[in-house]
Amino acid sequence: MSVLVNKDTRLLVQGLTGSSGTFHSRQCQEYGTNLVAGVVPKKGGQTWEEGVSPVPVFDTVAEAREQTGANATAIYVPARFAGAGIIEAIEAGMELIIAITEGIPVKDMMAVKAAMKGKPVTLIGPNCPGIITPGECKIGIMPGYIHRPGKIGIISRSGTLTYEAVWQTTAAGLGQSTCIGIGGDPIHGMTHQEAAQLFTEDDDTDAFILIGEIGGTEEEEAAAWIKENCDKPVAAFVAGTTAPPGRTMGHAGAIVSGGKGTAAAKIEAFREAGIAVAETPAEMGATLIKQLS
Amino acid sequence: MNIHEYQGHELFRKFGVAVPASVAVTTPAEAEKAAASLEGERFVVKAQIHAGGRGKGTFANGFQGGVHLVSSPAEAGEMAARMLGETLVTHQTGPEGKQVNTILVGEAVDIDREFYFAVLMDRDGECPVIVASPEGGMDIEAVAEETPEKIFREFIDPTAGELSTEQAAKLAADLGFSESETAGAIELFQKVFKLWYDCDCSMVEINPLVVTRDGGVMALDAKFGFDGNALFRHPDIAALRDESEEDPREVEASRYDLNYIGLDGNIACMVNGAGLAMSTMDIIKHYGGDPANFLDVGGGADETQVENAFRILVSDPNVEAILVNIFGGIMKCDVIAQGILNAAKNLSLEVPLVVRLEGTNVAEGKELLENSGLAIITASDLGDAAQKAVAAAKDAA
C-alpha cells in the first residue's frame, strides 16, 4: 500500500501555470498521477491544457479543494511567495503538502511551522524533489522511469543522490514502495525519523534506505528511534564527509557549524543503532541488499 | 555573505544599537581628519578585512598588528598609512592574507566589563535563540566547554518579531547587569533582536558587548550572517558584499548562478545536485584523491552554464583532472555531453576528463562523447568514475 501517496491521491498544484509547475505537472500526469486542479491567483476559471488532460484552475486552495476533493498539494510557487502558499494550504485544510520550491527564507519557514501546530497536516520539503509511489503516483521532479514498484522505502534530503539509490536498487531487481524526498532546508516538514516511522509501520515496505548529509541532528534522532522501534533491515549513506566546516554546501541546511552536524557523528549514530552504512554513494543498493540476506 | 566591521557599525546605527563613534576611511589623510572629528583623545585604528584575529596579525611588509590604539589624529594618519594597501595575515586569513583597503577609525572606549551576546536560529527548536554570557571577549566555545553554567539561552517565539521586555530583563539579570545598567542593556538587546529579525539574519554575534566605565552599554565588535535565501528582499544588505574578499572562482561562479566552493585539491568536479556533489567529493577522497571544489550545476543547467562551469574549473591552476558526474533526470545527458564537448574544444582542455553520465538520454550522450575524437574517459558507475579520476590525476602529477 506504500505511504502517503497512491493511485487514489487527488493532486492540486499551486503554481501550475508557471514554467516549472507546467513542465513537472505534465510529467506527473504522464506517469499516471491524478491531477485534479491548479491554483494560481487571478487565473481562476481558466483551464490548463499543457498536459495529458485538461485541468481546471482556481484562485485559491480552499476553492480548489472544495470543488475537486483534492487531498494533496504540490507547491511550485517562486520562493518569495512560497511560504505564504504553504500557509494558505494549511489554512484551507490540506492534509498533505509537498513543497518543491528551493530558496524559501528561513523566517518564512519558521512562520509555516508555527502555522502547522495543532493541525493534522503533513508537510514534505521544502527544497525537495517530492514523493513517489512507483506505478501509482508521482508528485515532484524525479524521473519516473528509474523507479519500479517494490518493497524498499527510501528517505532522503537530496534529489539526484536519491536517484542513484533508486537506480541501484532497481538495477538489482528490487523496487521501491515509496521514495520520500524530505529536502535540503534547515527548517522543514517531515523528518528522517517521521518517515522511518511510516516505513516501519507500512506492511508493504520490507526495508528502507536513509540518505542524510551534514547539518542538524535529524539523522541522529532517526537512528535513536530506529534502534528502539524498528526491526526491519535499514541501510544508510551520509554525504559530506569531506565538506569543509562553516560552508553551506548547496543545500541551505547542509552546513557543519560550531562542530555540530558532521557526517562522522551521523555515521556513528547510524552504526550504533545497527544500521548498515554504505562506505561510498556507489554502494547504497549493495549495502541494503546485504542486510536483506 | 560576510560584511566589514564598519558596515556592521552602520547597520547597528540604523537600528539604534549603541556602538562606538567611528568613521570608515580609505586614505591616511582621511584617517587623520576622522580622528580629529571624534571626541576624546584616544582612538582605535582598525584594518577592515573579513577575518578575525586582526589585533595579533602581521602585515606582509613586517608591520605588526591590524588594530592600534593611538593618542592623536596625526598618529591615526600614520597608522593608516602603514596599513592601507598592505596585506594583513592573521590566523584566520590563511598564509596569503588579505589586502586592507579600508580603515575604521573609532573612539577608544573605556571598558569596564565584557559580555558575549548572540542571536541565532535554533534549528531544533525552529525558533530564534539568544545565547549570552558574562564571559565576553573570549572564545565562546571554550566557555561552553569549561563553564557551561555561564552560558544563558532564551528561546524566542518565532512569530513575535521582537524580544519581549520580560525576556530581555531576565537576560540582563542572568548576565549580572546592575540596576543602573539594566535599562541600557534591555534596550540594546531588543534593538539587536529587531535587527536580526527584520534583516533576515542567520546570526548576529556581539563579542564583546561592553559596559563602559560611565555605565553605558554598547556593541564593540560583531559578526553578522545573513540568510542567503532572503537577500532578494534586502537589496541594501546585498549591496554590502565585498567581492574582493571572496575567492575569485566563487565570485565568477555566482555570476552564472553556479553553486561553487573552492577547495585545495587537484580533481575538479562538476555534478548536478548538492547531495550528489558532496558525495562525489567524498568518493574521490575515498579512493585516495583530493577534490579541488564543490560544484552543483543544478537541475536546470543548459549548455552555456556547463561551458561556463568548465571555464571556472580549468581556471584553477591546481586542477590536474576533471570529473563530471551527472545523473540526468530533467537534465538530458546528450545536452550535457554537447556542453562538455563545446567546452573542451573552446577551452583547449589539457587535463584528463572523466565523464560519468546516467539517466535521461544516456545512450545518446555517451555516443556523442565517444564519437567526438576527444580523449574523454567515460565511466559507467560512480565508483569506476572516481577511481579513473584519481588515477588520471596521479599520472598527471
Side-chain angles (χ1 to χ4, degrees):
Chain A
M1 202 46 189
S2 70
V3 303
L4 295 172
V5 298
N6 55 38
K7 54 183 164 21
D8 297 325
T9 299
R10 300 173 63 75
L11 179 68
L12 86 80
V13 170
Q14 291 172 253
L16 178 62
T17 57
S19 59
S20 203
T22 286
F23 180 87
H24 293 295
S25 298
R26 176 171 44 236
Q27 301 237 318
C28 290
Q29 264 193 327
E30 283 171 4
Y31 193 80
T33 303
N34 188 10
L35 179 58
V36 301
V39 173
V40 185
K42 305 210 186 109
K43 294 200 175 169
Q46 293 180 16
T47 304
W48 180 79
E49 289 176 305
E50 311 210 39
V52 173
S53 56
V55 172
V57 180
F58 299 87
D59 282 320
T60 68
V61 176
E63 273 178 74
R65 183 170 181 248
E66 200 202 285
Q67 300 287 324
T68 66
N71 56 14
T73 173
I75 298 183
Y76 294 89
V77 173
R80 66 182 67 205
F81 305 117
I86 301 173
I87 291 176
E88 182 193 340
I90 294 166
E91 290 174 351
M94 293 303 299
E95 293 189 358
L96 177 60
I97 303 172
I98 296 135
I100 307 294
T101 306
E102 174 167 15
I104 301 180
V106 166
K107 192 161 80 180
D108 296 6
M109 280 312 300
M110 286 200 290
V112 163
K113 294 307 297 276
M116 280 173 63
K117 283 212 163 80
K119 301 232 168 60
V121 54
T122 298
L123 169 67
I124 311 276
N127 187 12
C128 77
I131 176 169
I132 179 171
T133 292
E136 296 194 43
C137 181
K138 170 176 119 85
I139 299 178
I141 64 176
M142 66 288 281
Y145 77 93
I146 60 174
H147 302 77
R148 62 181 275 179
K151 305 259 189 178
I152 309 297
I154 300 190
I155 308 160
S156 174
R157 284 164 67 178
S158 167
T160 47
L161 182 54
T162 313
Y163 311 160
E164 290 280 348
V166 169
W167 194 238
Q168 288 167 24
T169 46
T170 295
L174 301 170
Q176 305 82 30
S177 54
T178 301
C179 303
I180 307 175
I182 62 176
D185 277 4
I187 305 225
H188 66 121
M190 178 166 285
T191 61
H192 273 121
Q193 179 186 318
E194 288 164 340
Q197 188 164 349
L198 289 178
F199 284 133
T200 301
E201 294 164 0
D202 176 40
D203 290 335
D204 290 318
T205 297
D206 291 346
F208 54 96
I209 300 177
L210 276 163
I211 302 172
E213 58 194 42
I214 53 169
T217 52
E218 286 183 11
E219 287 84 353
E220 289 89 327
E221 286 157 24
W225 187 90
I226 288 167
K227 188 174 179 179
E228 295 304 306
N229 299 284
C230 177
D231 289 326
K232 296 181 181 176
V234 182
F237 176 69
V238 181
T241 301
T242 55
R247 300 301 305 267
T248 307
M249 309 299 292
H251 288 155
I255 175 167
V256 171
S257 71
K260 296 215 176 76
T262 63
K266 292 165 192 305
I267 291 169
E268 166 84 25
F270 282 143
R271 292 205 165 119
E272 233 274 298
I275 296 167
V277 181
E279 294 252 352
T280 75
E283 294 163 62
M284 293 184 283
T287 304
L288 182 73
I289 286 163
K290 224 166 132 192
Q291 296 299 103
L292 293 173
S293 54
Chain B
M1 191 189 86
N2 287 331
I3 62 173
H4 287 290
E5 180 185 17
Y6 75 89
Q7 293 169 318
H9 276 204
E10 283 163 18
L11 201 47
F12 274 140
R13 280 186 197 114
K14 204 165 144 197
F15 280 80
V17 176
V19 288
S22 64
V23 184
V25 302
T26 54
T27 71
E30 282 177 13
E32 187 172 336
K33 242 174 91 188
S37 77
L38 295 170
E39 282 185 30
E41 312 226 314
R42 291 179 324 127
F43 316 101
V44 280
V45 180
K46 303 172 98 174
Q48 300 293 283
I49 57 171
H50 284 182
R54 292 167 295 162
K56 297 200 175 117
T58 309
F59 285 86
N61 64 9
F63 186 55
Q64 301 274 21
V67 175
H68 288 268
L69 197 56
V70 300
S71 35
S72 74
E75 243 192 290
E78 279 159 29
M79 284 296 159
R82 303 196 66 181
M83 295 198 229
L84 280 164
E86 302 296 336
T87 299
L88 178 60
V89 180
T90 80
H91 72 264
Q92 282 186 20
T93 61
E96 67 285 1
K98 284 183 188 285
Q99 184 174 18
V100 177
N101 301 315
T102 305
I103 299 284
L104 186 62
V105 179
E107 60 169 346
V109 173
D110 255 330
I111 299 171
D112 183 57
R113 280 124 68 218
E114 295 183 328
F115 299 82
Y116 175 94
F117 184 91
V119 188
L120 309 168
M121 197 255 303
D122 185 63
R123 200 161 162 159
D124 286 340
E126 297 177 332
C127 64
V129 61
I130 290 175
V131 178
S133 173
E135 299 289 320
M138 295 182 48
D139 174 6
I140 195 65
E141 265 145 48
V143 177
E145 183 82 32
E146 290 151 31
T147 49
E149 71 282 5
K150 294 205 174 144
I151 302 222
F152 299 93
R153 285 184 177 81
E154 279 296 314
F155 294 93
I156 321 287
D157 172 353
T159 53
E162 58 173 31
L163 172 64
S164 71
T165 305
E166 205 189 316
Q167 280 189 294
K170 179 170 189 299
L171 274 165
D174 287 339
L175 293 170
F177 282 87
S178 72
E179 249 191 74
S180 58
E181 294 160 354
T182 293
I186 289 176
E187 185 184 342
L188 189 142
F189 296 166
Q190 288 180 311
K191 288 182 168 166
V192 171
F193 183 84
K194 185 151 172 55
L195 188 165
W196 182 92
Y197 189 86
D198 287 0
C199 295
D200 280 297
C201 292
S202 53
M203 166 189 82
V204 177
E205 182 189 55
I206 303 174
N207 193 16
L209 181 151
V210 303
V211 172
T212 62
R213 288 218 193 279
D214 45 19
V217 183
M218 62 167 63
L220 207 60
D221 196 6
K223 249 181 108 169
F224 291 79
F226 299 98
D227 177 9
N229 283 351
L231 281 174
F232 72 85
R233 56 190 185 204
H234 299 285
D236 51 341
I237 292 176
L240 299 178
R241 184 180 177 194
D242 183 345
E243 289 182 359
S244 72
E245 294 276 343
E246 297 175 27
D247 180 330
R249 302 171 295 175
E250 296 182 17
V251 174
E252 184 69 8
S254 71
R255 291 202 212 294
Y256 302 107
D257 274 329
L258 293 164
N259 222 327
Y260 174 98
I261 292 175
L263 303 168
D264 293 327
N266 63 352
I267 301 177
C269 316
M270 178 190 311
V271 185
N272 65 326
L276 191 58
M278 278 192 275
S279 306
T280 303
M281 284 163 43
D282 294 345
I283 198 173
I284 287 172
K285 241 325 171 17
H286 177 83
Y287 284 112
D290 203 0
N293 67 281
F294 165 95
L295 172 55
D296 172 11
V297 300
D302 57 27
E303 264 182 54
T304 321
Q305 271 188 306
V306 171
E307 195 177 332
N308 285 324
F310 257 101
R311 213 164 21 81
I312 292 164
L313 294 183
V314 304
S315 74
D316 179 348
N318 292 338
V319 169
E320 282 168 337
I322 301 178
L323 170 53
V324 175
N325 176 25
I326 301 283
F327 198 114
I330 307 308
M331 279 199 114
K332 301 189 184 83
C333 292
D334 51 347
V335 171
I336 295 298
Q338 196 53 60
I340 294 172
L341 294 179
N342 293 345
K345 286 204 186 91
N346 295 342
L347 302 172
S348 323
L349 204 60
E350 284 176 5
V351 295
L353 175 57
V354 178
V355 180
R356 182 266 182 158
L357 297 175
E358 193 54 90
T360 313
N361 291 3
V362 59
E364 290 88 325
K366 281 187 176 162
E367 208 183 311
L368 271 170
L369 295 177
E370 270 147 28
N371 296 342
S372 66
L374 295 176
I376 295 175
I377 306 163
T378 52
S380 48
D381 70 59
L382 195 35
D384 182 38
Q387 287 174 286
K388 284 178 170 156
V390 172
K394 274 211 177 80
D395 287 343

